Amino acid sequence: MFPACRYSLQARRCVGALKAVQAEHVAPQVYSTRSSSSTVPRITTHYTVCPRDKDPRWEGVEMERFADEADVVIVGGGPAGLSAAIRLKQLASQHEKELRVCVVEKASQIGAHTLSGACLEPTALSELIPDWKERGAPLNTPVTEDKFSILTEKYRIPVPILPGLPMNNHGNYLVRLGHFVRWLGEQAEEMGVELYPGYAAAEVLFHEDGSVKGIATNDVGIAKDGSPKDVFERGMELHAKVTLFGEGCHGHLAKQLYKQFNLRENCEPQTYAIGLKELWVIDEKKWHPGRAEHSVGWPLNRNTYGGSFLYHLNEGEPLVALGFVVGLDYTNPYLSPFREFQRWKHHPSVMSTLEGGNRIAYGARALNEGGVQSIPKLTFPGGMLIGCSPGFMNVPKIKGTHTAMKSGMLAAESAFSKITDENLQSETAGLYIPEYEEAFKKSWIWKELYSVRNIRPSFHSYFGLYGGMVYTGIFYWILRGKEPWTLKHNGLDSAQLKPAKDCTTIEYPKPDGKISFDLLSSVALSGTNHEHDQPPHLTLKDDSVPVAQNLGIYDGPEQRFCPAGVYEYVPVETGDGMRLQINAQNCVHCKTCDIKDPSQNINWVVPEGSGGPAYNGM
Amino acid sequence: MSARVLVGVKRVIDYAVKIRVKPDHTGVVTDGVKHSMNPFCEIAVEEAVKLKEKKFVKEVVAVSCGPQQVQETIRTALAMGADRGIHVEVSGKDYETLGPLQVSKILAALAKKEQADLIILGKQAIDDDCNQTGQMTAALLDWPQGTFASEVNIEADMLKVVREVDGGLETIKIKLPAVVTADLRLNTPRYATLPNIMKAKKKKIANVKPADLGVDMSSRLEVLKNIEEADAGGAVQTNTEGLSSLVMEQTLRPVKSGSAPSPIQTRPM
């Protein structure tokens, strides 16, 4: 748009380079290896890193935003957000009050970014919608059989699942969570909730007194180099009395809010895992609908937390949902969660199920494992955190959906009484609702999470996996988590990687194309896509850090932990050295890079709405 | 000018989604799969709205044929600037056999009913790649047609259309009323922004049945079988680049000789 400015910027760089060469009297080859910011190719062009107010290309562009008012705005159309929306509308109709509830969701349709095992405990659902069965909720597969194994390279050691152990699934349902979330969305719409899929909340808005005013959706029509296109349009502002943030695990707005309101000052850093999942249509003879299988052990060593799940779904065709979870506190930068997953499928006990079958879907998402130790402050003036965003997953049960839904319901109940209180004198323009946190601490979520608080940290000893299992057996199964101490986690996941020189590479087997597959064909199955001409949404605070630190010290772990092949270190076109190439179009919004980057240089921000994976019932 | 434009929009499976053939080979899996407006239809809507903004056209009417879900597609067209929508309800067996012949009959009937002066359609849909609806509609109405348009201008009561043809660009002048089908380079469609989606909820979508328009929905084609492209022995290509290369691959794909009636094609993967 302003070619003159761009030319002079390049010209200025060339002149500067020439001057440096002349001053130093060095040969051109030596100069090119000197690392200065002018020789690092520009990667990040997003406006959160390169501000637009001083950028000449944005001069004169209309930046005014259209604004609208609602009573409650909910960020994220997942189980937590939709449960909160439904609960608000239930209370409104019960008390004959009018309430405008808007839900913004970055996926193109509700459920398209949802990924989970999943085994659903119907407690929260039955509280929210007691007649869910009559309303056609897609809970079609009650669990009939639980299998738990410890795997070695060739063998499977069965472990009995006695009643009382967290992995006992009696009374639970195997679901395709994406379809369940879609059904929740339909229920919400029937009750008058305004759902806006395809619009991502990109910015938190604040009142003058510092309380949260609402959110603004993403701008559209910005070119890859950060300049405005002809179709540029500003996002829209949605103002609310209170805003609920239900972005799921490691939400990008929540990350900002932690800093803004100091919400994490009295809790441990959150710890995470990455879950990769596939859907397979298998041979009918091998299909046992209602069977939930879990395993630990091979191919991970005893000090790397993780395991697998394989659920036989009863949805018309012989479908299994299977996947692999790896704790993101792993220490070896050569570990690739994707390839561990592909390798695990070759275990004889898994191959026997998958042989002759067909893979039809793939996806990945980070999940939180911190439990009560990592729960931040949940409320702040103008807003509340719900669902997996603050993180309520019960790790040994590997279930977080029921607690996410309940947290949404609790938030809705405390918000409703405050919003409809005509005599309320609020100190801040955005409502501050500490009642939510009090209700949370009195609820069954807290009791449940408190009783399992020591199981995940118990894996951090020298005995690793086996220490953890023994601890679970003694303290959870027998004593029900009543021990008076609370174990700590190890700190930030991103700080756990050891330098590459201190670790051994891992030789992964080549994918055979029938049971195991390569990364790119898997990414294609996720249906992910983004508008090609937009700034990469994987932003780097400093473009020079990846090659200098991530590649230099840790051999580029992002090439291995990204389940979508977004990060690649490729040779520079001219001269020596490598550069980081970001294939932002492949991103499946799992958030693992933001979590595990050892330099914490990657900041995931939301891309243009309706981009990202197109999961169907994952 | 006080012309009225009819724009046809089709709801298709999103171009980035991997297609799966149903286990019984009667079609492709559509339940829960991400759908969006056919990219060429987006271009058509954009052109109609541009003509309205240039004051050549008074009203833009968006039309779609299909079950309840196509209302989302019409809403997107309304959010882009169309004034009102018409949903032609077609569902069940009729929807499975819905093709260019039936749609062109419906559009022709609607054009007469709504007294449209111009029909703009996408040149083809990315699920069936037929490239027939525009041409059939023009023939049924006995209207001139400007297909594969990469530029459209109104001059007096004539339409100047620049067409993309194999040999390059061809410029024709046709009389209104006419049918125009949009090609890739006609324009860059605008985004349907959230405030416009909210406003679109207030715009009207009328419901019409094909029987009301006197259209016979029976199909002259019978789909025998759908098979995966890999099984068909064709070349499977990975497409990650975007729309222009998608179009390139479509035109470069070899034609299979002596094959059964064309199944719903799996797009190049």
Side-chain angles (χ1 to χ4, degrees):
Chain A
M1 258 187 115
F2 300 110
C5 294
R6 250 189 258 145
Y7 172 75
S8 61
L9 189 61
Q10 278 185 4
R12 248 182 284 141
R13 278 209 196 129
C14 287
V15 170
L18 268 172
K19 280 198 180 139
V21 172
Q22 286 169 351
E24 301 283 350
H25 301 293
V26 291
Q29 301 102 300
V30 179
Y31 171 75
S32 65
T33 58
R34 184 167 316 203
S35 62
S36 70
S37 56
S38 58
T39 55
V40 171
R42 182 100 176 280
I43 302 175
T44 304
T45 52
H46 198 271
Y47 65 82
T48 49
V49 178
C50 313
R52 290 178 289 196
D53 44 1
K54 304 264 183 353
D55 189 332
R57 298 170 303 179
W58 287 88
E59 236 179 81
V61 176
E62 180 59 58
M63 296 299 265
E64 185 85 37
R65 274 190 292 223
F66 187 81
D68 204 359
E69 297 271 340
D71 290 296
V72 181
V73 164
I74 300 176
V75 176
L82 292 172
S83 301
I86 292 174
R87 192 79 191 102
L88 280 167
K89 281 292 192 178
Q90 283 175 343
L91 289 165
S93 98
Q94 205 183 321
H95 291 97
E96 289 174 353
K97 293 240 157 78
E98 288 284 324
L99 214 61
R100 184 174 181 205
V101 180
C102 293
V103 177
V104 284
E105 162 60 47
K106 62 173 162 60
S108 57
Q109 49 196 52
I110 303 284
H113 285 185
T114 301
L115 184 140
S116 183
C119 185
L120 180 68
E121 208 180 280
T123 43
L125 176 61
S126 302
E127 281 183 35
L128 182 68
I129 303 177
D131 56 343
W132 53 261
K133 212 184 175 110
E134 286 79 36
R135 287 172 176 269
L139 273 63
N140 302 318
T141 317
V143 176
T144 54
E145 203 188 328
D146 258 313
K147 270 172 91 172
F148 195 90
S149 332
I150 303 179
L151 298 181
T152 64
E153 193 172 342
K154 294 204 185 61
Y155 302 105
R156 181 185 93 87
I157 305 166
V159 174
I161 296 296
L162 308 161
L165 276 174
M167 309 87 191
N168 183 297
N169 279 312
H170 181 73
N172 298 335
Y173 291 84
L174 301 174
V175 293
R176 296 177 70 170
L177 196 63
H179 286 168
F180 176 68
V181 169
R182 182 178 65 176
W183 174 83
L184 272 180
E186 287 162 12
Q187 304 307 304
E189 256 191 324
E190 263 176 45
M191 304 188 73
V193 174
E194 290 177 49
L195 290 178
Y196 295 115
Y199 296 96
E203 203 183 311
V204 184
L205 305 167
F206 296 95
H207 287 289
E208 294 217 346
D209 61 11
S211 60
V212 170
K213 187 173 172 186
I215 52 101
T217 59
N218 57 283
D219 294 345
V220 291
I222 304 178
K224 208 171 175 133
D225 64 4
S227 61
K229 295 194 279 198
D230 287 332
V231 286
F232 171 73
E233 293 264 5
R234 264 304 242 170
M236 173 176 168
E237 296 190 5
L238 279 172
H239 301 165
K241 303 195 174 96
V242 66
T243 309
L244 304 188
F245 292 87
E247 299 172 284
C249 176
H250 204 80
H252 79 111
L253 292 182
K255 195 174 165 182
Q256 289 175 34
L257 291 167
Y258 293 147
K259 276 210 210 87
Q260 180 80 15
F261 292 101
N262 213 358
L263 302 171
R264 299 205 77 97
E265 68 182 329
N266 290 325
C267 67
E268 289 187 48
Q270 184 64 261
T271 67
Y272 302 88
I274 178 176
L276 301 107
K277 178 180 169 182
E278 287 175 356
L279 283 178
W280 282 66
V281 177
I282 56 169
D283 188 344
E284 225 176 312
K285 297 195 261 317
K286 312 199 176 149
W287 181 48
H288 306 278
R291 179 190 284 183
E293 298 179 32
H294 295 104
S295 83
V296 291
W298 190 84
L300 298 176
N301 66 30
R302 70 163 192 275
N303 290 109
T304 305
Y305 185 82
S308 76
F309 64 88
L310 201 155
Y311 301 144
H312 295 248
L313 292 161
N314 190 1
E315 306 251 341
E317 41 180 358
L319 200 63
V320 293
L322 64 149
F324 204 75
V325 174
V326 179
L328 285 177
D329 57 347
Y330 68 82
T331 53
N332 186 344
Y334 292 108
L335 192 142
S336 160
F338 174 78
R339 301 192 81 173
E340 297 290 349
F341 174 37
Q342 300 301 321
R343 179 157 72 153
W344 163 76
K345 284 189 282 176
H346 280 284
H347 191 273
S349 66
V350 187
M351 281 252 286
S352 59
T353 306
L354 296 182
E355 240 155 7
N358 224 5
R359 182 178 73 151
I360 61 167
Y362 164 83
R365 184 75 170 91
L367 45 127
N368 36 60
E369 303 206 313
V372 291
Q373 294 93 321
S374 305
I375 297 180
K377 190 155 177 300
L378 298 172
T379 72
F380 42 91
M384 296 190 269
L385 298 172
I386 56 175
C388 278
S389 182
F392 303 124
M393 201 181 97
N394 182 326
V395 178
K397 269 196 200 174
I398 24 170
K399 293 184 180 60
T401 312
H402 62 306
T403 49
M405 289 176 71
K406 180 66 178 171
S407 71
M409 290 155 65
L410 290 173
E413 283 156 10
S414 30
F416 182 77
S417 41
K418 268 264 168 56
I419 296 173
T420 51
D421 182 358
E422 272 136 22
N423 300 323
L424 182 69
Q425 306 271 23
S426 174
E427 275 179 18
T428 49
L431 296 178
Y432 178 55
I433 310 181
E435 289 80 354
Y436 166 49
E437 193 137 13
E438 289 160 24
F440 167 75
K441 291 234 166 77
K442 295 203 190 92
S443 70
W444 52 255
I445 313 180
W446 179 266
K447 275 202 209 75
E448 191 182 314
L449 293 178
Y450 189 77
S451 68
V452 299
R453 70 196 182 289
N454 286 325
I455 296 187
R456 178 68 177 90
S458 69
F459 285 73
H460 290 146
S461 73
Y462 172 76
F463 298 105
L465 168 68
Y466 304 109
M469 293 182 76
V470 168
Y471 189 97
T472 307
I474 300 174
F475 289 98
Y476 184 76
W477 192 56
I478 300 176
L479 294 178
R480 287 274 170 266
K482 292 198 171 65
E483 66 269 32
W485 57 82
T486 299
L487 299 174
K488 281 187 142 76
H489 295 298
N490 265 353
L492 279 174
D493 285 336
S494 52
Q496 304 303 320
L497 278 182
K498 296 208 186 95
K501 62 177 170 55
D502 298 337
C503 300
T504 45
T505 57
I506 305 178
E507 280 302 317
Y508 289 103
K510 264 189 149 37
D512 72 347
K514 293 212 252 316
I515 302 280
S516 53
F517 300 90
D518 66 301
L519 188 59
L520 285 183
S521 65
S522 309
V523 177
L525 267 186
S526 70
T528 193
N529 195 32
H530 295 86
E531 160 61 47
H532 167 72
D533 193 13
Q534 65 172 308
H537 63 281
L538 297 323
T539 65
L540 305 172
K541 287 185 220 156
D542 182 341
D543 279 352
S544 63
V545 162
V547 173
Q549 286 195 32
N550 289 34
L551 187 61
I553 305 176
Y554 303 99
D555 196 44
E558 58 267 59
Q559 301 172 91
R560 298 187 196 90
F561 60 57
C562 175
V566 169
Y567 300 97
E568 273 184 282
Y569 282 98
V570 294
V572 289
E573 279 82 19
T574 51
D576 300 319
M578 306 286 266
R579 65 176 180 87
L580 177 64
Q581 173 162 290
I582 296 184
N583 305 314
Q585 271 185 290
N586 291 3
C587 180
V588 292
H589 298 205
C590 75
K591 315 296 175 64
T592 303
C593 56
D594 197 312
I595 296 166
K596 191 58 176 170
D597 177 19
S599 334
Q600 285 293 280
N601 189 36
I602 301 176
N603 192 36
W604 189 99
V605 297
V606 79
E608 274 179 21
S610 85
Y615 297 143
N616 180 9
M618 282 292 263
Chain B
M1 258 198 114
S2 56
R4 177 175 293 136
V5 179
L6 215 61
V7 181
V9 295
K10 186 177 182 185
R11 179 175 181 262
V12 296
I13 296 181
D14 187 85
Y15 75 89
V17 169
K18 196 132 209 289
I19 304 291
R20 188 160 75 101
V21 175
K22 281 201 205 141
D24 59 5
H25 298 286
T26 55
V28 298
V29 177
T30 54
D31 182 42
V33 175
K34 178 178 176 186
H35 284 69
S36 43
M37 191 192 291
N38 181 40
F40 295 107
C41 297
E42 285 179 356
I43 298 174
V45 173
E46 176 64 24
E47 197 57 28
V49 175
K50 273 199 163 74
L51 287 174
K52 189 173 93 160
E53 286 170 349
K54 285 190 213 152
K55 304 261 196 293
F56 288 131
V57 146
K58 190 188 64 180
E59 194 187 30
V60 177
V61 183
V63 182
S64 192
C65 308
Q68 183 63 19
Q69 293 97 317
V70 304
Q71 296 224 356
E72 289 163 22
T73 315
I74 302 178
R75 288 255 176 254
T76 310
L78 293 173
M80 286 171 73
D83 297 293
R84 59 184 167 90
I86 300 178
H87 170 201
V88 182
E89 290 168 11
V90 181
S91 50
K93 199 77 185 37
D94 277 346
Y95 184 57
E96 278 169 40
T97 56
L98 185 67
L101 181 61
Q102 294 80 9
V103 174
S104 53
K105 285 182 188 169
I106 291 172
L107 288 176
L110 277 173
K112 290 205 194 99
K113 182 160 173 256
E114 299 286 332
Q115 296 175 313
D117 302 287
L118 179 60
I119 301 180
I120 310 184
L121 306 173
K123 73 168 179 181
Q124 67 196 60
I126 58 171
D127 53 4
D128 56 18
D129 284 338
C130 283
N131 198 319
Q132 297 165 358
T133 309
Q135 292 86 336
M136 283 183 176
T137 312
L140 287 169
L141 289 165
D142 199 25
W143 286 8
Q145 56 187 261
T147 53
F148 306 99
S150 69
E151 212 182 301
V152 172
N153 281 307
I154 298 197
E155 290 181 1
D157 60 344
M158 301 273 272
L159 215 57
K160 189 163 111 177
V161 179
V162 177
R163 305 177 60 230
E164 290 194 15
V165 296
D166 289 342
L169 297 172
E170 178 193 57
T171 310
I172 58 170
K173 249 196 178 147
I174 50 178
K175 275 213 187 110
L176 286 170
V179 174
V180 170
T181 71
D183 205 329
L184 190 65
R185 278 158 279 270
L186 180 56
N187 58 50
T188 309
R190 68 195 61 193
Y191 288 85
T193 57
L194 186 53
N196 288 331
I197 287 271
M198 288 180 171
K199 284 188 204 137
K201 290 209 170 164
K202 303 198 183 86
K203 294 186 185 171
K204 280 197 168 19
I205 299 181
N207 286 325
V208 180
K209 291 201 175 45
D212 301 339
L213 300 168
V215 169
D216 166 28
M217 294 297 284
S218 58
S219 176
R220 313 291 200 263
L221 299 172
E222 185 193 339
V223 174
L224 297 178
K225 200 174 180 187
N226 288 273
I227 46 179
E228 286 276 340
E229 207 173 291
D231 302 334
V236 176
Q237 292 156 321
T238 18
N239 166 42
T240 48
E241 219 63 57
L243 204 49
S244 39
S245 57
L246 177 72
V247 170
M248 283 294 289
E249 285 173 1
Q250 285 181 345
T251 51
L252 290 174
R253 191 135 46 97
V255 174
K256 289 192 268 286
S257 57
S259 45
S262 185
I264 298 173
Q265 283 184 358
T266 51
R267 293 194 301 286
M269 292 299 162

